[in-house]
Amino acid sequence: MSTQAIGLFDSGVGGTSIWKEIHKLLPYENTIYLADSANAPYGQKNKEEIIHLSEKNTEFLLEKNVKLIVVACNTATTNAIKELRSKYEIPFIGIEPAIKPAALNSRTQTIGILATKGTINSELFSKAVQSHKNVKIIEQIGHNLVPLIENGMIESAEMRELLEIYLNPMIEQNIDYLVLGCSHYPYLIPIIEDILPSHIKIIDSGEAVARQTKTILEQNQLLATAQKPQLTFYTNKGSAVLKSLLNTPEAIIIEQSF
Ligand code: DGL
């Protein structure tokens, strides 16, 4: 039985959507989550900057003696996971837009993807798109969605307006799947559902990442068994938005600069 924690990082609060899936599937695991909100959004940064920040986050978590790191950020995964895996020995789990299940199940042969600029412009993402030539993939950058979420403005008129601008052209082009390619976006699902006709399915990668995390821990005999877990969250910006999205009373939230 391993009491070492699972480490997770994201550019901010969004990766908590992944953390929730992991905590649901692996409720005994200690977790340490790093929200680099002071540097959000990563999606507007270049590859070198994203690699640098991802390394800094990894080193923070390694100092806390974590057993595995979940890169709970599509932008960091698609731009930096190769470099992280070659530099550090610890197992990494990444998160990428779930193009495959959408492409395999689409009946209209047309799917939409909403992701950050950093993800859409990455090599890993274009390779994934290239390998699904059987479907038409409509790519849309979610400009300004992450800053609004980071600032606690999910319910704002501005958010709804932006989402309508991004999603309406996809609806017109007859998508039947919308892939959420950013770990912040699951928090927008209620608004997105309100905009999309009900036959369009929304897919994100949270559950798949949680299953993969469990598999890797099992393979390495690193699973925790019955214990009351410690759920620690570090943020380098105010904790109010993190706290409200987490909605987990037992979470310990620590504000510090890093
Ligand atoms: N949550 C992140 C993602 O999954 C990054 C968003 C950002 O900082 O731009 O892409």
Side-chain angles (χ1 to χ4, degrees):
M1 134 101 187
S2 162
T3 54
Q4 276 177 281
I6 296 174
L8 302 95
F9 75 81
D10 178 39
S11 63
V13 297
T16 55
S17 66
I18 310 294
W19 174 84
K20 285 180 183 175
E21 296 294 343
I22 290 178
H23 182 56
K24 193 160 82 184
L25 189 68
L26 299 164
Y28 301 128
E29 295 291 339
N30 293 327
T31 60
I32 299 176
Y33 179 100
L34 170 59
D36 190 16
S37 292
N39 289 304
Y42 281 15
Q44 295 299 112
K45 299 187 192 301
N46 65 38
K47 188 174 167 72
E48 283 64 40
E49 288 173 299
I50 298 168
I51 293 172
H52 170 70
L53 291 168
S54 300
E55 289 180 348
K56 197 167 75 99
N57 297 339
T58 298
E59 281 162 26
F60 180 96
L61 290 170
L62 288 176
E63 270 180 30
K64 310 276 178 216
N65 193 29
V66 296
K67 58 186 171 188
L68 169 148
I69 293 179
V70 179
V71 181
C73 175
N74 292 260
T75 311
T77 300
T78 51
N79 284 277
I81 200 145
K82 204 168 126 206
E83 287 74 8
L84 294 177
R85 286 189 172 132
S86 68
K87 186 163 177 182
Y88 305 98
E89 291 209 345
I90 191 160
F92 285 94
I93 311 271
I95 168 170
E96 285 176 54
I99 300 177
K100 196 174 172 182
L104 287 177
N105 291 305
S106 174
R107 289 180 178 198
T108 60
Q109 302 290 291
T110 312
I111 65 171
I113 298 182
L114 193 60
T116 68
K117 184 174 165 206
T119 293
I120 287 185
N121 289 341
S122 70
E123 215 183 297
L124 213 66
F125 180 80
S126 38
K127 273 191 192 151
V129 169
Q130 288 300 314
S131 62
H132 292 95
K133 288 212 169 101
N134 58 317
V135 286
K136 181 173 168 196
I137 299 180
I138 302 166
E139 299 167 21
Q140 174 64 54
I141 295 172
H143 294 290
N144 217 26
L145 299 180
V146 168
L148 286 176
I149 298 169
E150 287 289 322
N151 288 310
M153 293 173 69
I154 290 178
E155 306 293 338
S156 63
E158 200 180 338
M159 177 67 86
R160 173 133 193 149
E161 230 167 83
L162 285 177
L163 286 170
E164 282 176 357
I165 292 170
Y166 302 153
L167 299 175
N168 282 337
M170 297 189 187
I171 300 169
E172 279 157 26
Q173 291 177 75
N174 202 20
I175 62 161
D176 58 355
Y177 278 86
L178 173 68
V179 178
L180 301 183
C182 170
S183 59
H184 280 67
Y185 299 168
Y187 287 113
L188 305 178
I189 288 176
I191 310 167
I192 293 176
E193 278 179 343
D194 204 46
I195 296 171
L196 294 181
S198 58
H199 71 275
I200 301 179
K201 296 184 189 66
I202 302 167
I203 303 196
D204 67 73
S205 317
E207 263 184 63
V209 169
R211 281 197 303 272
Q212 175 69 356
T213 304
K214 187 175 180 199
T215 304
I216 299 295
L217 290 178
E218 269 167 357
Q219 280 171 1
N220 291 282
Q221 293 172 335
L222 285 172
L223 273 179
T225 44
Q227 65 165 348
K228 187 173 182 300
Q230 275 210 346
L231 312 172
T232 313
F233 295 79
Y234 288 91
T235 173
N236 52 9
K237 224 177 160 188
S239 59
V241 177
L242 180 63
K243 203 169 170 181
S244 80
L245 291 181
L246 262 179
N247 195 18
T248 305
E250 62 275 32
I252 302 158
I253 301 181
I254 300 165
E255 280 182 48
Q256 75 175 57
S257 55
F258 42 79

